[in-house]
Amino acid sequence: MPAQLTARPSDIPLQNLYNLLEPITVPKKKARFRNWGRSFICTPSAIFEPENEFQCELVLELARREGKKLRVSAVGHSPSDLAMTNEYMLRTTKLNRILEINTEKRYVVAQGGITLNDLNAQLAKNNLAMINLGSISEQSLAGVVATATHGSGISYGAISTNVIALSLLLADGSRVTCSRSEHSDLFMASLCGLGATGIILSVQLLLEPAFRLKEVQESRPFEDVVRDMDKLVHSAEHVRFWWFPTKDTIRCSYSNRTSEPNNPAGSWFWGTFFGYHVVQFLLFVGRYFSTVNVWTANLACWLLGGRTEGVDDSYNIFNVDCRYPQHTTEWAIPYENTQACLRDFRDYLSKELQNPQGLRPHFPVEIRFSAADDIWLSPGYGQATTWIGIVQYKPYGFNVPYRRLFQAFEEIVIRHQGRPHWAKAHPLGIEGLRKLYPHFDDFRRVLDKVDPDAIFRNEYVERHIMGKQIDPRLFRAFKKGS
């Protein structure tokens, strides 16, 4: 191996550093980054796609020498500007290997850039599975950890609660392994660290033997579900709801581990042709004639009507099709506030539907649940949690109105002590967040210690964590139809 590849990055002459990084530097004309929802876009001064950890060290060294911010990103699934920067970007999409699988102790060590889709496939080959998953698996493992992404199940915490240890590359170029027993403050900060504590090189994740889920779905009136909320939420291991306000109906999903053979529910005709293509066309028409949105919501609710049962591998049940690019926001409220919060939001939507000039929002409202955890910036910190998310789809990529709806929703959930999902755009600043998170200043203390020069702090972190006045629309993408 050439001497320059075994030298410390700080010893490498600048020109040699440029030469070493040239093969992993994205050509300037392609150096743009857009999130999956097409809501934010940025043009970094350079995008690097390292293929090994040493190259990560080289990128960091260059950022240090040139006084640049360095933002770590992966697939860009966050609907906010969390991954955005106009300085240096390190994309981890090629840092996607499994480093170790221990079937006896049931854990995996994987590089941070691996997507959950790829991780699920590799685990299945070894008869293992993640304990819980969110609605999608397109995100990177490090991204899921850094935002305390969650699934549903009142006895299951955020995915970050299953992390055993993290390997980080810190701002000073050092590597550190942290866990609950080793560098515990850094560990608790990094489990929902927003990419600001360091580069997550690898994650050691607790697993369980591969399992199938039996999912039962049924539609029930809104008031019945809210009245029986506690009974329903505790009636299965993984419970989630999809609420269709125009029909005052909630689609309920109950999933439990099972030994029954695979027997997936659904059909291509209803799920894909009607559920995807016809609905997208109607959503497009609804951009011009908002009443059509009501018809579309009613059609979707009808398509999902009736009781269904299905058995499939866990990740196939946990995951759902996100359909189209979208504006979305999601908030976590204390579980005990669920009924009051949902009724308040229902009252607001009912008034809008009764008003001829009122909003005709998209559907459904997604409602999920998680157990309390002790992760410093997790929205589930210290409380059983209900997650409520709303969307405005962008059919064929065309923009749709969303701000008025989102603002009204945010005002309601804030009244009910809501905490925003860190991967979603939200209006809370430092003072509001400090009141919601007892360890907020502990998190800032860790950032000051491990990154005193703020190399890993992009505009999102500076705005929401450090309190700087930075325009939240700085990276907004103005697409066709906007």
Side-chain angles (χ1 to χ4, degrees):
M1 181 178 290
Q4 64 183 5
L5 296 182
T6 59
R8 293 178 302 174
S10 58
D11 294 333
I12 300 174
L14 184 60
Q15 187 56 52
N16 288 8
L17 197 56
Y18 288 141
N19 295 339
L20 287 168
L21 291 175
E22 194 277 333
I24 65 166
T25 304
V26 175
K28 194 68 177 177
K29 62 181 180 181
K30 295 183 179 180
R32 301 182 76 196
F33 183 79
R34 184 177 68 177
N35 65 342
W36 177 83
R38 303 179 185 176
S39 51
F40 290 92
I41 191 169
C42 64
T43 306
S45 55
I47 297 179
F48 304 96
E49 294 184 332
E51 299 176 0
N52 56 60
E53 294 179 0
F54 181 68
Q55 290 175 338
C56 292
E57 295 180 35
L58 297 181
V59 174
L60 176 58
E61 177 63 23
L62 182 64
R64 286 162 51 82
R65 291 195 201 180
E66 298 199 340
K68 296 284 190 180
K69 304 286 188 181
L70 177 61
R71 193 57 179 163
V72 181
S73 69
V75 296
H77 216 284
S78 171
S80 73
D81 62 336
L82 178 61
M84 300 293 140
T85 183
N86 280 333
E87 297 193 37
Y88 283 173
M89 176 176 284
L90 186 155
R91 295 199 66 186
T92 61
T93 48
K94 294 181 180 179
L95 299 169
N96 58 357
R97 294 186 297 114
I98 300 287
L99 303 178
E100 179 188 357
I101 293 182
N102 191 312
T103 56
E104 181 181 351
K105 295 183 179 180
R106 297 172 185 169
Y107 70 77
V108 63
V109 180
Q111 290 184 307
I114 193 171
T115 65
L116 297 193
N117 275 329
D118 289 344
L119 179 59
N120 290 334
Q122 291 297 317
L123 295 180
K125 293 177 181 178
N126 290 272
N127 198 35
L128 292 168
M130 292 181 63
I131 295 170
N132 200 3
L133 282 169
S135 294
I136 57 173
S137 286
E138 284 79 10
Q139 321 101 306
S140 71
L141 179 58
V144 165
V145 171
T147 55
T149 292
H150 63 98
S152 195
I154 196 64
S155 298
Y156 295 81
I159 294 173
S160 293
T161 61
N162 299 319
V163 174
I164 300 170
L166 296 170
S167 174
L168 300 174
L169 179 61
L170 301 184
D172 64 1
S174 64
R175 298 192 196 195
V176 62
T177 297
C178 57
S179 65
R180 288 183 177 272
S181 60
E182 185 178 10
H183 304 291
S184 58
D185 279 4
L186 178 60
F187 183 67
M188 300 309 293
S190 300
L191 287 179
C192 187
L194 313 178
T197 60
I199 301 172
I200 298 179
L201 298 174
S202 66
V203 179
Q204 184 182 10
L205 187 69
L206 184 67
L207 308 169
E208 67 175 279
F211 60 96
R212 291 185 294 276
L213 288 171
K214 181 175 183 178
E215 181 184 38
V216 177
Q217 289 192 19
E218 64 178 4
S219 296
R220 299 183 58 171
F222 173 91
E223 194 55 47
D224 287 0
V225 173
V226 173
R227 182 194 63 223
D228 299 332
M229 180 69 67
D230 198 53
K231 177 182 176 182
L232 295 176
V233 168
H234 288 86
S235 67
E237 294 172 325
H238 303 279
V239 175
R240 52 187 170 180
F241 302 138
W242 296 281
W243 169 26
F244 293 81
T246 60
K247 296 293 287 184
D248 211 30
T249 296
I250 292 180
R251 185 70 175 172
C252 307
S253 165
Y254 316 100
S255 297
N256 288 297
R257 285 155 178 77
T258 183
S259 58
E260 295 181 28
N262 277 14
N263 184 25
S267 71
W268 175 87
F269 182 77
W270 294 111
T272 301
F273 177 72
F274 257 88
Y276 186 91
H277 297 291
V278 173
V279 167
Q280 180 167 217
F281 174 74
L282 292 173
L283 290 170
F284 177 75
V285 176
R287 295 180 69 246
Y288 307 98
F289 307 98
S290 62
T291 300
V292 174
N293 288 334
V294 176
W295 304 343
T296 308
N298 293 345
L299 171 64
C301 187
W302 173 75
L303 287 171
L304 293 170
R307 179 185 171 91
T308 63
E309 294 185 6
V311 177
D312 210 334
D313 295 329
S314 57
Y315 48 88
N316 289 328
I317 296 291
F318 285 135
N319 289 169
V320 297
D321 189 345
C322 277
R323 301 293 183 180
Y324 328 107
Q326 57 199 243
H327 297 289
T328 180
T329 186
E330 184 179 33
W331 289 67
I333 63 170
Y335 175 70
E336 61 267 22
N337 295 350
T338 305
Q339 291 158 305
C341 183
L342 290 176
R343 286 195 172 107
D344 282 355
F345 192 38
R346 181 202 197 192
D347 289 344
Y348 166 78
L349 293 176
S350 295
K351 291 177 182 177
E352 291 296 317
L353 289 170
Q354 292 167 10
N355 180 353
Q357 280 74 50
L359 296 177
R360 303 294 185 264
H362 292 165
F363 56 88
V365 177
E366 186 177 38
I367 306 164
R368 293 180 284 172
F369 309 92
S370 65
D373 63 54
D374 62 350
I375 299 167
W376 287 357
L377 286 193
S378 167
Y381 178 86
Q383 61 188 30
T385 299
T386 299
W387 300 81
I388 306 174
I390 61 174
V391 299
Q392 284 292 94
Y393 297 112
K394 302 169 77 172
Y396 308 115
F398 284 87
N399 208 4
V400 294
Y402 71 95
R403 293 179 201 159
R404 183 175 148 201
L405 171 68
F406 281 24
Q407 182 178 354
F409 172 72
E410 289 163 353
E411 290 173 355
I412 291 170
V413 291
I414 287 172
R415 288 204 305 269
H416 292 278
Q417 292 77 56
R419 296 168 173 168
H421 192 311
W422 289 105
K424 314 289 174 72
H426 64 87
L428 293 189
I430 183 172
E431 293 308 319
L433 292 168
R434 180 176 278 128
K435 293 176 183 177
L436 293 172
Y437 292 100
H439 286 286
F440 187 82
D441 286 323
D442 291 327
F443 179 77
R444 284 170 45 111
R445 172 178 53 79
V446 169
L447 293 193
D448 287 338
K449 179 180 179 181
V450 299
D451 187 12
D453 296 322
I455 291 175
F456 293 125
R457 298 179 205 169
N458 71 335
E459 285 78 1
Y460 179 100
V461 174
E462 294 284 16
R463 180 172 64 244
H464 293 296
I465 303 301
M466 310 313 293
K468 293 189 177 180
Q469 298 300 310
I470 297 175
D471 185 359
R473 297 184 59 79
L474 177 63
F475 297 110
R476 272 289 178 190
F478 295 94
K479 300 302 293 178
K480 55 185 179 181
S482 62

